[in-house]
Amino acid sequence: MKMQWLDLDDNGGIVKEELLIRRDPLAKFITGEASANTFAQVPPIRLKQAYPDAKLILCLRHPVDRAYSHYRMLQRFAHEGRRIPFHPIDFVSDFKDDLGRVQWGEQGYFAGVSFYTTRLKRWAQIFEMENIYIVRTEDLPQQISTQRILSVLCHFLDIRDYDFSGVLQLMVNKAGEQELDPQLRNDLFEYFRKDVQELEEFTGRNFNWNP
């Protein structure tokens, strides 16, 4: 199988990338794709039409931490000179402006994507919950618990279990630590509290997300 796509080099020029994968036509393969944007931005029916038998693994993070992390990413993009949809001023005022967009029925740039329940219900309606496995991001930092989660995912995907210890020692795409003031976290969590309660009711699961 040959895959081709266009990309930009360091000077802004267009280059053609190519990936050649050789497969045994008699072997059985499972193929996956990871994206931070699919759940929030892609209509589930589009994915269903392309991959009707897909199984979905959804990583959900504490909504305040998820919003703050996304905001820091946009700040970094702005500092690098990339084009982003708004001009960052400070997290608190920008957070409230972003929620204002959500209240008017718009997508929101970083805070809005931390409202999970409505989106999950749309995905569950198309794919059914039995084909969606939810991972709580806070359970991943410890290698032992992560290996346990991955073993469950192997069963969910109907593939043999595997020792991921070598892979789990690698740390990629990790930003520097920067924590919010505890009182600010508590105040911001109030915006998400109702959605978290609805998420727990819909999934029958306690996410243990507190201020």
Side-chain angles (χ1 to χ4, degrees):
M1 181 178 68
K2 181 184 292 186
M3 300 175 61
Q4 294 181 338
W5 65 94
L6 299 180
D7 205 345
L8 297 178
D9 61 22
D10 294 337
N11 298 317
I14 298 177
V15 295
K16 184 172 74 171
E17 302 282 355
E18 183 175 291
L19 178 65
L20 181 64
I21 303 175
R22 301 187 183 278
R23 289 183 171 179
D24 180 350
L26 300 180
K28 181 180 178 181
F29 291 90
I30 179 171
T31 303
E33 188 271 344
S35 168
N37 302 320
T38 300
F39 178 64
Q41 298 179 358
V42 176
I45 189 62
R46 182 182 300 175
L47 197 67
K48 183 69 172 180
Q49 291 170 344
Y51 305 102
D53 299 323
K55 289 189 174 183
L56 310 178
I57 301 169
L58 177 61
C59 292
L60 297 182
R61 186 179 184 181
H62 188 293
V64 176
D65 293 332
R66 195 260 180 270
Y68 186 47
S69 176
H70 199 150
Y71 182 78
R72 290 182 64 200
M73 180 189 71
L74 293 174
Q75 277 186 316
R76 186 174 71 252
F77 286 172
H79 180 73
E80 294 171 354
R82 302 194 205 184
R83 184 180 301 174
I84 66 171
F86 72 102
H87 177 68
I89 300 175
D90 68 82
F91 178 64
V92 176
S93 60
D94 291 337
F95 181 93
K96 293 180 180 179
D97 287 344
D98 202 61
L99 289 182
R101 280 187 287 271
V102 175
Q103 291 171 354
W104 282 99
E106 300 178 20
Q107 177 68 41
Y109 300 135
F110 62 93
V113 294
S114 289
F115 291 98
Y116 302 132
T117 310
T118 299
R119 290 188 179 90
L120 179 57
K121 287 180 178 180
R122 285 200 296 264
W123 282 92
Q125 186 177 20
I126 300 298
F127 280 91
E128 300 183 355
M129 278 301 295
E130 65 183 26
N131 295 312
I132 303 175
Y133 189 91
I134 300 176
V135 175
R136 201 180 72 115
T137 304
E138 290 78 13
D139 295 331
L140 297 178
Q142 300 299 322
Q143 184 170 323
I144 294 177
S145 60
T146 303
Q147 175 65 60
R148 185 166 57 248
I149 292 170
L150 291 173
S151 295
V152 174
L153 286 175
C154 287
H155 178 74
F156 172 69
L157 297 173
D158 195 25
I159 59 177
R160 68 178 180 86
D161 201 352
Y162 184 78
D163 180 6
F164 293 93
S165 57
V167 178
L168 295 177
Q169 294 175 3
L170 303 177
M171 185 65 68
V172 297
N173 196 29
K174 179 176 174 59
E177 296 292 338
Q178 186 174 338
E179 296 185 0
L180 285 171
D181 175 79
Q183 184 57 52
L184 177 59
R185 280 180 58 87
N186 183 75
D187 294 342
L188 297 182
F189 183 74
E190 292 306 312
Y191 290 102
F192 298 110
R193 185 182 295 276
K194 183 174 183 294
D195 185 68
V196 171
Q197 292 173 345
E198 292 177 351
L199 178 68
E200 292 181 338
E201 291 173 0
F202 180 69
T203 60
R205 177 176 177 179
N206 187 352
F207 284 84
N208 292 310
W209 287 332
N210 302 304

